[in-house]
Amino acid sequence: MDTTRFELPVQHGPGAATAATLNLVGYLGATQHRTAALARLETIARKYPTRLIVLDPIPEGTLSVPSSVFNVSSDARRIHVGVAAQDEHQIGYFISGTILRNIPTVLWWANEHPISQRFVEEIGHVHEVIVDSSMHVERESIFTELRAFHSTFTRTALRDLAWLRGHGWRDAIAHLFDYPVARKHLQSMRAIEISGGSSAEARYITGWLASRLGWVNERGLGFCTRDGRSVKFMHTPHNEMQEIREIRLACALANFRLVLDTNAMALTCFSQIDAQELAVQHLPFHQADDAELIEQAILMNGTDELFEASLRSLCEK
Amino acid sequence: MSISLATPQADVTLGPNPLREGLEVDRVTDPCNIVFFGASGDLFKRMLLPAMYNLRLGGILPENFGIIGFSRSTLSQEEFRETGRASIAEFSRSGPAHDTLWNDFSSRMSYVGGEFDDIETFYALRRILEENDEKLGTQANRLFYLSTPPSVFAEIVKQLDAAGLGPRDNTKGWSRIIIEKPFGTSLDSARALQAEVARVFDEKQIYRIDHYLGKEPVQDIMALRFANVIFEPIWNRQYIDSIQITAAETVGVEQRGGYYENSGALRDMIQNHVINLLALVAMEPPIRSDADSIRDEKFKVLTAMRPVSQENIDNYAARGQYVEGNLDGKSLPAYRQENGVSKESNIETFAAVKFFIDTWRWAEVPFYVRSGKRLARKCSEIAVTFKQIPHRLFGEAGDHIAQNTLVIKIQPEEGVSITFAAKVPGPKMHIRSVNMDFNYGSGFGVVSAPAYERLIGDAMRGDATLFTRWDAVEVAWERVMPILEHWERTPLQDSSRYTVGSQGPQSAANLLGADGREWRQI
C-alpha cells in the first residue's frame, strides 16, 4: 500500500491561512457506541482547528479510497476512512503519513477491543491516548491492560473517560473529610457502596481511595487497610442509570452518604458522626458529557499522577 | 455536645486531608467572608454576584463562606437575596440558579444598609462578620470589596478601621481589600487615597482591581512573549516600527454622565487599563512568574515612559468628544445631550496619546494608545507593527507588501493574528498580505471565565499578580497629569468633535499623520 497517494485537498480561498492545533484520531468500534463516538468527534472537530481522522469499521472500506474527505470548517479538515478490512499495521502506517507534524496527536480509542500497542507504535509519537473503560463491562483485565500499555508508552499520556467521570465525586468525598471532625474517622473506613455508574467508574473511586489511604489490593478480592482490616466494596449498577447516583462510606464510628439530585446539578451530603446526624450540606455538581470529558482530556497537561496512582492500586497484586 | 461539619476545629495532629492531594489546585481553601460595598449598584448585580455564584458552582469558593452586601439602599435580607437571584438569572453565564444550590448559597448572604460615614452601620457589619465566623466557620478571614463611587473609598476604609474591622484588630484571620478603579481622580487625590488606605492596610493586603487584567488574552501576552522563542528576539526597536493599543467602545456614558463629567477617557481608560496593557507589552522578562517579580518589571517600564512636557502636549496627545450620529441604524445623541452632562462640557470622550519608553529596547518606538466611546465598533487590541522590509526584492510585485503586524485581540474577539506576505498562486510573482488567525474560543474549545471571577478568586487566594501595585498607579498618574491639566485649561477645538459611529476625531488622525502613520481601522 502506498500511503503517499493520500493527499489532502486544501479547500481554502487563495491567500487564506489556516491553523491546526491538534491531530485527533478516532478509532471507532462497530457496536452501538459508534454513532455516539462519531458525533462526539465531530463536536470536538467543530470547536478546535483539528485534523480529524476517523477510522471507521462501518461501512467496510479500504485505505486506498477514503470513503469521504471533506472540510468540516475552514480550519478543520476531516478524513473518514473505512478500516474493517485492514490490519493494524496498515492503518497505523497510513495514520503516520497523514497526521500533521509538530502538533499534538491525540488518539481516542473508542472501540470495544483492547487497545493495540502495535497500532500505536506504528503511528509514531502519540501524545495522548484516550480510552473509556466503561465500554469494557465484561473485561476484568481492563485495568491490567491499561497499566501494561502505560508502562510501554511512557511518553504517551493516558486518559480514561471512566476515571474523568468520577472527578466531581472524588472532589465531594474529599470535601467531606476537609473537616477535622470527619477526618479523624477517615482511616477507619471499612465499606464503600456505590450505586449507578459503570463498574470501571465505581472501581476507580475505590482505587483512588486506596491510593490515598495506603490500602493494599488483595488479589482481586478487595482491599485491606495498613493494619490488615478488610474494606468492603459493593457496586450496584442500574441499567437505567448512566452515572453514579449515590456513594456511601462507612467508617467505624461515622457514616457518610452522597446523593446526586434528580437534575444531576447538586450533591446532597449526609453525615453521621458518633451517632449524631449533622447538618445536611449541598455541593454544586457538574456531570460533564463525553465530548466535554474528551476536551478536558485534550486540554490536560502532562501526566495525571492521581489517575496513574489509582490505576496502580487497582492492579497491584 | 452537638457537633457540626460547618465549624471545622483546628486539630494539627490530624494533618492535611490526604484525599485533597492531587485534586483541583484552584480550590480556595481559606474560609472567608466577602463584604461588597456598593451592593445595590450595577457592578454588583451584573458582575460581582454572578461571579461569586459561578465561583461556587466551579468549586472555587470554600464551603465556609459568607457574602455581605453593604450599601446606602434600604433593603430587607429577603429583598437582597431576591434581587440577587434575579441578577444571577439575568447576568450569570450559568443561567438561572438551581433551587437547591441557590438555597444553600443565599443562606450565606446578608445585607447591611446605611451610610458609609455612619459608624453604627459598620458596627452592625462587624456583628454579622463575627456571627458568620461562629455560624459559618469563616475563621475571621475578611475580604472587603469597594465597588462604590471612588469618592467614598477613603471614608469606608476609615470607618472599617474605626469599627475595629481593620487588619490590626483582626489577629485571628487575614484581611484584604479590593479597590475598584479609578484609584483617585488625579495624582494628588490618588496619593491622598493611598495615604488613607495605607494607614489601615499594608500594600500586600491591597488589591487594586483593573478587570482588563483578568481577561484571558491579556494574561496571554506574557505567554506569547515569554513562552515562545520566535517573538522575543524581534521584540525591540530593531524590528518594531510602532505599537498601537486601542480600547474602543460603542457605548456612550449610559447612566454615568455625572461620573463621567469628572472623569473622561484619559482618566477612565488610559491611566489604568491601557497603561497596564502597555506595561505588559513593553516590560522586560521577569525573573519569576510571581506577583512581585512581574509587578517589579511593570513598574520599571512605566518609570521609563517619557514624561510629556506642557509645551509639547498637542504633539503627543489628542482628545475628542462625540456629537450626534448613527450607530447600528440608531440615531444617538451628542455627549453634551446625555443625562447628567453639562451643555458646555469640556470632557473628552476620546483620548489618544503617543508615549515613548526611554530604554535600550524601545528607544524612539512610538506607542500610540487611544480609547473612546461611541466609536464605530467595540474593539480592544494591541497591534505590533514591524518595520518595512529592508530591500524590495520583488520590484513592483512587492509594492503591496504591508508591514508585518501581530495583533493581540482582547475583545470582543479573543486571540492573536499575524499578517505576513505570501505569493498569490499562479505563474506571475504577485505578492499579497495574508492573515493568520488564532482564536481562543475555537483554538482551545473553551470559553474564558469572566475576568471578575478570575480576579476575585485570585484575591481570595492571596495572589496579587493581576492587581496593580501602588508604585505603578502613581507613575501612571504622573505621566497623564500634564495632559489632563492642559486639557482642563484649554477648551475643546472643533477638530476634536467626532460623529457617533466614526473612527474618532481628526485631531487623533493628525497625531499619527504627523509621523507618517495611520491608526488601524476600528
Side-chain angles (χ1 to χ4, degrees):
Chain A
M1 187 185 67
D2 178 10
T3 55
T4 59
R5 285 185 291 147
F6 301 112
E7 291 183 9
L8 302 173
V10 177
Q11 298 184 2
H12 307 294
T18 185
T21 53
L22 186 72
N23 293 299
L24 179 59
V25 182
Y27 203 141
L28 307 182
T31 64
Q32 73 274 17
H33 298 296
R34 176 189 169 273
T35 311
L38 192 54
R40 282 159 198 152
L41 283 169
E42 286 171 353
T43 302
I44 293 163
R46 273 194 294 274
K47 289 180 77 175
Y48 291 77
T50 299
R51 174 159 291 181
L52 173 63
I53 302 166
V54 180
L55 304 174
D56 188 357
I58 301 172
E60 288 192 15
T62 64
L63 282 173
S64 58
V65 186
S67 54
S68 59
V69 179
F70 55 90
N71 277 357
V72 171
S73 70
S74 64
D75 52 8
R77 279 176 292 177
R78 167 175 149 168
I79 308 157
H80 195 127
V81 185
V83 293
Q86 310 303 319
D87 69 20
E88 287 162 353
H89 170 76
Q90 272 189 308
I91 303 166
Y93 187 58
F94 168 74
I95 301 299
S96 69
T98 310
I99 55 175
L100 294 167
R101 302 292 159 192
N102 301 319
I103 57 172
T105 298
V106 175
L107 167 65
W108 182 25
W109 189 263
N111 68 64
E112 56 285 347
H113 303 296
I115 186 162
S116 162
Q117 296 198 5
R118 189 174 172 207
F119 172 71
V120 176
E121 269 165 16
E122 200 61 59
I123 294 177
H125 182 44
V126 177
H127 295 75
E128 190 172 304
V129 170
I130 302 170
V131 298
D132 185 357
S133 298
S134 295
M135 292 174 72
H136 305 270
V137 283
E138 302 299 331
R139 242 188 23 256
E140 285 292 316
S141 59
I142 180 70
F143 297 120
T144 314
E145 289 166 18
L146 287 180
R147 196 177 171 205
F149 177 88
H150 187 55
S151 304
T152 306
F153 296 93
T154 52
R155 292 174 59 214
T156 299
L158 179 64
R159 321 279 185 221
D160 191 338
L161 301 187
W163 161 263
L164 292 173
R165 280 187 203 100
H167 172 77
W169 289 98
R170 287 188 291 276
D171 203 48
I173 293 170
H175 165 80
L176 287 173
F177 295 97
D178 278 338
Y179 300 94
V181 70
R183 188 144 80 245
K184 64 185 181 187
H185 297 278
L186 180 58
Q187 295 295 348
S188 72
M189 195 179 294
R190 60 188 182 189
I192 304 156
E193 198 177 328
I194 298 176
S195 300
S198 70
S199 166
E201 287 159 32
R203 289 179 67 188
Y204 269 131
I205 297 281
T206 317
W208 166 67
L209 284 168
S211 71
R212 297 301 95 194
L213 300 176
W215 297 344
V216 181
N217 191 322
E218 291 186 305
R219 296 176 183 272
L221 299 173
F223 291 94
C224 69
T225 60
R226 286 173 184 151
D227 55 6
R229 273 185 303 103
S230 287
V231 180
K232 288 181 189 160
F233 167 64
M234 186 187 290
H235 174 230
T236 314
H238 294 271
N239 288 338
E240 73 280 15
M241 289 181 188
Q242 295 295 313
E243 69 269 296
I244 295 176
R245 305 296 306 192
E246 183 175 336
I247 295 181
R248 290 169 182 255
L249 304 171
C251 304
L253 296 170
N255 291 292
F256 303 92
R257 188 158 68 97
L258 292 160
V259 183
L260 185 63
D261 77 347
T262 48
N263 298 321
M265 286 185 71
L267 286 178
T268 307
C269 315
F270 302 92
S271 307
Q272 185 198 57
I273 295 176
D274 295 330
Q276 287 188 51
E277 299 285 345
L278 273 59
V280 171
Q281 291 184 296
H282 301 283
L283 298 178
F285 187 85
H286 174 64
Q287 185 69 66
D289 64 23
D290 281 2
E292 202 179 327
L293 291 174
I294 295 166
E295 284 180 56
Q296 284 175 19
I298 290 170
L299 292 171
M300 283 170 80
N301 274 329
T303 56
D304 182 348
E305 289 177 9
L306 207 56
F307 163 65
E308 289 170 15
S310 304
L311 186 60
R312 276 197 301 276
S313 287
L314 290 168
C315 298
E316 270 165 4
K317 294 280 189 294
Chain B
M1 189 184 77
S2 68
I3 52 174
S4 163
L5 266 186
T7 50
Q9 300 141 14
D11 187 346
V12 290
T13 58
L14 277 174
N17 180 358
L19 302 183
R20 275 278 162 232
E21 196 182 327
L23 286 184
E24 193 67 45
V25 290
D26 264 356
R27 178 174 284 272
V28 173
T29 51
D30 284 357
C32 69
N33 277 299
I34 306 109
V35 182
F36 289 97
F37 291 93
S40 58
D42 218 34
L43 183 68
F44 180 76
K45 288 177 189 162
R46 284 173 176 269
M47 298 288 180
L48 304 180
L49 189 64
M52 294 303 295
Y53 185 70
N54 287 319
L55 285 170
R56 178 69 180 140
L57 285 190
I60 310 280
L61 270 191
E63 181 62 19
N64 310 99
F65 72 95
I67 293 173
I68 302 159
F70 188 127
S71 82
R72 291 182 177 126
S73 304
T74 306
L75 289 173
S76 68
Q77 301 295 332
E78 209 41 53
E79 284 169 331
F80 179 58
R81 290 172 186 150
E82 277 171 19
T83 54
R85 185 161 196 177
S87 302
I88 285 164
E90 190 173 356
F91 301 114
S92 169
R93 68 189 171 98
S94 55
H98 175 269
D99 282 342
T100 309
L101 297 175
W102 174 255
N103 291 339
D104 181 65
F105 184 84
S106 63
S107 70
R108 299 141 195 278
M109 289 171 65
S110 316
Y111 181 74
V112 185
E115 293 300 319
F116 297 121
D117 58 358
D118 176 12
I119 189 70
E120 291 303 324
T121 320
F122 283 79
Y123 286 139
L125 169 65
R126 182 175 169 170
R127 281 192 292 278
I128 293 177
L129 286 168
E130 288 170 353
E131 278 170 23
N132 279 359
D133 289 341
E134 183 71 22
K135 194 174 67 184
L136 301 175
T138 42
Q139 298 185 6
N141 293 324
R142 291 157 188 176
L143 177 61
F144 302 103
Y145 193 125
L146 308 194
S147 62
T148 58
S151 55
V152 294
F153 287 168
E155 184 63 36
I156 292 170
V157 172
K158 193 171 122 190
Q159 295 296 345
L160 282 173
D161 189 39
L165 290 168
R168 92 175 117 247
D169 293 309
N170 182 16
T171 52
K172 292 181 187 165
W174 51 254
S175 299
R176 296 176 192 140
I177 188 165
I178 298 178
I179 302 178
E180 263 294 336
K181 77 168 189 74
F183 196 87
T185 53
S186 64
L187 178 59
D188 288 345
S189 66
R191 282 177 174 158
L193 174 58
Q194 171 61 15
E196 195 64 35
V197 177
R199 200 176 56 75
V200 179
F201 291 89
D202 289 340
E203 182 61 30
K204 285 195 182 305
Q205 296 165 327
I206 305 169
Y207 292 71
R208 294 173 198 83
I209 196 166
D210 178 349
H211 74 273
Y212 256 55
L213 297 187
K215 289 179 182 291
E216 203 66 47
V218 175
Q219 296 170 54
D220 190 52
I221 294 171
M222 292 259 294
L224 187 82
R225 290 191 58 197
F226 306 129
N228 293 290
V229 77
I230 58 173
F231 298 118
E232 202 51 24
I234 56 171
W235 209 257
N236 56 50
R237 66 185 305 275
Q238 300 294 331
Y239 295 95
I240 292 178
D241 170 79
S242 61
I243 292 176
Q244 290 187 21
I245 303 177
T246 299
E249 299 176 289
T250 52
V251 294
V253 292
E254 311 291 296
Q255 303 308 311
R256 297 165 67 226
Y259 160 76
Y260 207 78
E261 276 290 271
N262 295 307
S263 176
L266 194 62
R267 281 189 178 90
D268 194 42
M269 296 292 284
I270 290 183
Q271 185 274 337
N272 37 68
H273 296 328
V274 175
I275 286 185
N276 264 313
L277 296 180
L278 185 151
L280 283 169
V281 170
M283 72 182 189
E284 294 298 319
I287 53 170
R288 282 184 295 273
S289 63
D290 60 74
D292 273 338
S293 301
I294 293 168
R295 299 196 303 178
D296 284 349
E297 294 305 331
K298 285 172 68 179
F299 172 65
K300 274 195 257 177
V301 80
L302 292 180
T303 55
M305 278 168 68
R306 188 185 302 168
V308 182
S309 61
Q310 287 285 347
E311 59 272 21
N312 264 328
I313 281 170
D314 289 335
N315 298 324
Y316 282 82
R319 62 179 156 163
Q321 190 185 77
Y322 62 81
V323 296
E324 61 271 19
N326 288 302
L327 185 63
D328 285 339
K330 279 188 199 162
S331 178
L332 294 165
Y335 174 69
R336 290 180 178 181
Q337 294 163 336
E338 301 271 17
N339 285 336
V341 173
S342 160
K343 302 289 178 228
E344 288 87 36
S345 175
N346 202 36
I347 285 294
E348 81 285 358
T349 57
F350 179 103
V353 186
K354 174 167 64 173
F355 287 115
F356 286 98
I357 295 171
D358 292 329
T359 60
W360 191 281
R361 185 192 283 261
W362 295 116
E364 301 312 320
V365 175
F367 286 73
Y368 301 107
V369 306
R370 64 179 161 167
S371 178
K373 290 191 172 293
R374 288 278 189 240
L375 293 169
R377 199 168 65 87
K378 180 178 181 175
C379 163
S380 290
E381 65 173 32
I382 299 162
V384 179
T385 304
F386 292 87
K387 290 191 169 174
Q388 285 282 7
I389 50 173
H391 171 60
R392 296 203 162 218
L393 178 66
F394 303 107
E396 281 184 16
D399 281 353
H400 303 294
I401 300 177
Q403 289 160 274
N404 295 128
T405 310
L406 185 150
V407 182
I408 300 164
K409 296 178 287 185
I410 298 164
Q411 66 178 17
E413 292 174 85
E414 299 184 342
V416 177
S417 73
I418 299 176
T419 307
F420 57 94
K423 178 184 173 296
V424 178
K428 293 185 178 173
M429 180 56 84
H430 285 163
I431 293 175
R432 190 188 288 181
S433 288
V434 295
N435 202 47
M436 188 159 72
D437 267 320
F438 173 77
N439 182 292
Y440 279 99
S442 57
F444 286 122
V446 288
V447 179
S448 313
Y452 279 104
E453 274 178 44
R454 167 69 197 259
L455 294 170
I456 294 173
D458 281 0
M460 293 171 77
R461 290 186 202 98
D463 181 351
T465 308
L466 300 178
F467 295 84
T468 316
R469 209 167 58 186
W470 164 243
D471 52 7
V473 174
E474 186 177 36
V475 76
W477 275 119
E478 283 172 355
R479 294 302 180 267
V480 302
M481 277 318 291
I483 304 168
L484 282 171
E485 286 165 358
H486 178 75
W487 285 354
E488 277 165 11
R489 282 197 304 270
T490 51
L492 277 161
Q493 305 296 310
D494 282 345
S495 67
S496 297
R497 312 266 179 236
Y498 65 98
T499 309
V500 165
S502 70
Q503 295 287 316
Q506 185 58 41
S507 56
N510 295 344
L511 188 69
L512 265 71
D515 295 344
R517 298 187 179 92
E518 289 180 349
W519 289 106
R520 285 168 54 80
Q521 191 82 3
I522 289 173

